[in-house]
Amino acid sequence: MTKSHTPIPFIDLKAQQRVIRPQVDRAIQRVLDHGRYGFGPECEEFEQALSKFTGVQYVLGCSNGTDALTMLLIDLGVGPGDAVFVPAFTYIATAEVVALRGATPVFVDVDVDTFNMDAADLKKAIKVAQEKELKLAGVISVDLFGQPADHDAIAAVAKNHDMWVISDAAQSCGALYKGKSTLQFGLAATTSFFPAKPLGAYGDGGAIFVHDDKLKRRLENIRVHGHGVNPASIESLGLTGRLDTIQAAILLEKLKIFPAEIENRQKSADIYNEALSKVVHVPHISEERTSVWAQYTVRVKHAKQRDVLQDHLTGLGIPTAIYYKRPLHVQRVYRYGLLDRCLENTDQLSDTVISLPIHGYLRESVQNQIIDGVLGFFKK
Ligand SMILES: Cc1ncc(COP(=O)(O)O)c(C=O)c1O
C-alpha cells in the first residue's frame, strides 16, 4: 500500500470537479431551465469557443470522436475497395470507422520514439496497397498520447498520391504543431471529449473542425440523419451525431480552465522526464511540437520487464495502464489490413510501453510516490 493509504487515481477527475463544481452545477441548471436539450444555445457557444481556441473557422460539436470520423468518411464516400491508411498503434476507433464503411484500414508502422505514424512506412504501405489493387483514398493521422503527428511529412506523402488526410486529434486537443493547433491539419480534424481525454465532458462528446463552409453544411446534414434542420429534405445518409446541450454546457466551463491544466500537465511531464530518464525511455517530443500529455508513456526493455514493473507498481497502489498491449494489426478482425507486411516498431512498442498517472491536478507528493515506486523497481 501507499504511505498515505489513499488510492492514487490514474486520472483525477474528482480533483478537477472540486475546482469547477459550482460553475458546472449552474451551467447544468441553466440547461434544465431553458429545456433545449439538443442544439441548445450552449452548443453554438461551445463551437464558437472551440473555434477561438483552435483557430479553425468552423467547428461542429458532435456525439463522440468516433462519429466525428464516421461523418467525414460518409461525406467522402469511402467504401469497399478503398484503402485508408491508419497507424497500427492507436485506439481502435481510428481503424474501426474505416472497416465499418466496408473499406480497408491499411496499417502503417509508427516511429518508435514519438509513437506516431512513420511517413516513410506510409510510402511502403501505399506501394503494397497499389500492388493489391486497392484504391488509394486517404490517410487518418493520429496524435498519439497528446503529441502531434508529423503533419507536414504525412501531408506531403498523401498529396503525392492525391489522397485526403483527416487528423484524428482525439488525444491532442490543446497541442501545437509548428505553433498551430492539431485541429487545423488535414482536410478536416476530429477530437473526442470522452471523460478521460485532456478536455473531457461528463459523458460522450466530440467535434469536427473544417475550413470549408460547403463541407460544414454537408456535415450539419449528416449530423442529423442527413437532413440537418429540415426533416423534409434528406440530403444524404447520416446518423444521430449531435453533441447534447448539457455536455456542451459542461465543456464550456471545462474549456475555461483547460489552458492552466495543460500547463500543469507539462510541469508534471517535466518532473517525470527529469526523474526517470536514467531508468526508462521517457517520451520524446519532437521539435516544434507541444504535447497535451493525454498519457505519460515510458518504454522499458522488454515485455517481461514491463509486466513485472506493472505488478510492482500495482502492489504499491500505483495505477498504470498499457496502451496498447495488442495492436490493431494482430487483432483477428483487423488482420486483413496488415497486407502481409511487418510492423516492427508497433510490435516492439506494444511489448514495452507503460503509462503512468498524469492529469492537471497531480500533486507533487503523489508524483514523488510514483517516481519512487518506479526508481525502487530498478534499484532491486
Ligand atoms: C485516437 C482516438 N481516436 C478516436 C477515438 C474515439 O473517440 P470517442 O471515444 O469519443 O468515440 C479515441 C477515443 O478514445 C481515440 O483515442
Side-chain angles (χ1 to χ4, degrees):
M1 276 309 284
T2 60
K3 279 181 212 153
S4 66
H5 297 280
T6 315
I8 297 175
F10 189 67
I11 298 174
D12 198 347
L13 289 175
K14 285 205 174 120
Q16 184 198 49
Q17 205 188 103
R18 281 194 289 276
V19 174
I20 49 164
R21 182 65 190 253
Q23 296 92 304
V24 166
D25 281 344
R26 283 196 295 275
I28 294 173
Q29 190 67 52
R30 281 195 294 273
V31 179
L32 297 180
D33 288 345
H34 66 57
R36 290 180 56 198
Y37 305 118
F39 289 131
E42 288 82 357
C43 294
E44 208 181 314
E45 212 187 305
F46 178 56
E47 290 175 343
Q48 280 166 6
L50 269 182
S51 167
K52 199 163 163 226
F53 181 69
T54 59
V56 181
Q57 189 169 7
Y58 302 113
V59 181
L60 289 98
C62 66
S63 38
N64 55 62
T66 309
D67 288 349
L69 290 167
T70 296
M71 288 191 261
L72 285 166
L73 297 188
I74 290 173
D75 182 71
L76 288 161
V78 169
D82 285 343
V84 177
F85 298 86
V86 299
F89 199 58
T90 177
Y91 183 60
I92 190 168
T94 317
E96 182 183 54
V97 291
V98 177
L100 282 171
R101 297 288 306 158
T104 303
V106 178
F107 295 113
V108 179
D109 210 356
V110 295
D111 180 277
V112 81
D113 289 318
T114 64
F115 311 132
N116 279 327
M117 184 185 275
D118 174 11
D121 194 66
L122 173 60
K123 286 186 197 160
K124 291 183 194 159
I126 289 170
K127 200 157 173 277
V128 177
Q130 281 173 320
E131 282 159 17
K132 305 232 179 231
E133 296 185 355
L134 289 166
K135 180 173 166 286
L136 306 183
V139 181
I140 306 182
S141 63
V142 174
D143 307 315
L144 207 73
F145 305 148
Q147 167 165 209
D150 194 349
H151 288 288
D152 285 351
I154 291 168
V157 176
K159 193 167 172 229
N160 267 342
H161 295 277
D162 211 13
M163 289 193 287
W164 45 258
V165 178
I166 293 173
S167 167
D168 176 355
Q171 302 186 7
S172 72
C173 182
L176 303 177
Y177 178 86
K178 300 188 176 173
K180 292 181 182 173
S181 163
T182 50
L183 280 323
Q184 291 198 17
F185 291 89
L187 165 79
T190 60
T191 198
S192 163
F193 305 121
F194 182 74
K197 293 287 186 264
L199 178 61
Y202 288 146
D204 283 304
I208 312 177
F209 300 76
V210 297
H211 315 275
D212 172 61
D213 65 330
K214 290 197 189 80
L215 173 57
K216 175 205 164 226
R217 266 183 266 134
R218 293 199 301 273
L219 289 166
E220 280 171 348
N221 283 334
I222 295 171
R223 184 168 62 170
V224 192
H225 301 289
H227 62 60
V229 289
N230 179 9
S233 174
I234 298 166
E235 304 292 334
S236 64
L237 289 181
L239 37 83
T240 309
R242 284 175 296 254
L243 174 68
D244 71 68
T245 313
I246 285 184
Q247 297 307 336
I250 293 164
L251 282 161
L252 269 168
E253 297 306 323
K254 290 215 185 186
L255 187 58
K256 289 178 195 160
I257 57 168
F258 191 39
E261 292 180 342
I262 295 174
E263 263 182 50
N264 290 346
R265 284 172 181 270
Q266 183 59 52
K267 279 185 203 146
S268 300
D270 290 341
I271 293 171
Y272 272 142
N273 287 344
E274 171 83 27
L276 300 179
S277 64
K278 287 205 173 72
V279 293
V280 293
H281 284 283
V282 295
H284 169 81
I285 304 300
S286 295
E287 269 176 42
E288 299 186 276
R289 279 167 238 195
T290 66
S291 176
V292 273
W293 301 104
Q295 302 296 338
Y296 183 85
T297 304
V298 300
R299 287 185 287 139
V300 298
K301 286 203 180 102
H302 46 75
K304 177 93 175 70
Q305 187 181 51
R306 190 262 312 274
D307 295 345
V308 182
L309 170 63
Q310 185 171 44
D311 288 347
H312 169 83
L313 294 175
T314 306
L316 294 170
I318 297 168
T320 55
I322 293 169
Y323 303 117
Y324 300 93
K325 201 166 195 165
R326 291 197 71 227
L328 300 179
H329 67 279
V330 306
Q331 307 281 350
R332 192 178 47 78
V333 285
Y334 287 107
R335 229 172 270 159
Y336 67 103
L338 185 56
L339 305 189
D340 306 318
R341 297 192 325 119
C342 183
L343 306 181
E344 276 173 23
N345 290 350
T346 299
D347 291 336
Q348 185 193 329
L349 288 175
S350 59
D351 277 347
T352 55
V353 289
I354 179 164
S355 303
L356 303 176
I358 195 160
H359 48 81
Y361 302 86
L362 188 57
R363 280 185 289 118
E364 216 178 303
S365 58
V366 174
Q367 189 169 15
N368 286 340
Q369 247 175 276
I370 299 166
I371 290 168
D372 288 349
V374 177
L375 294 179
F377 174 78
F378 287 98
K379 259 197 209 129
K380 279 196 298 182

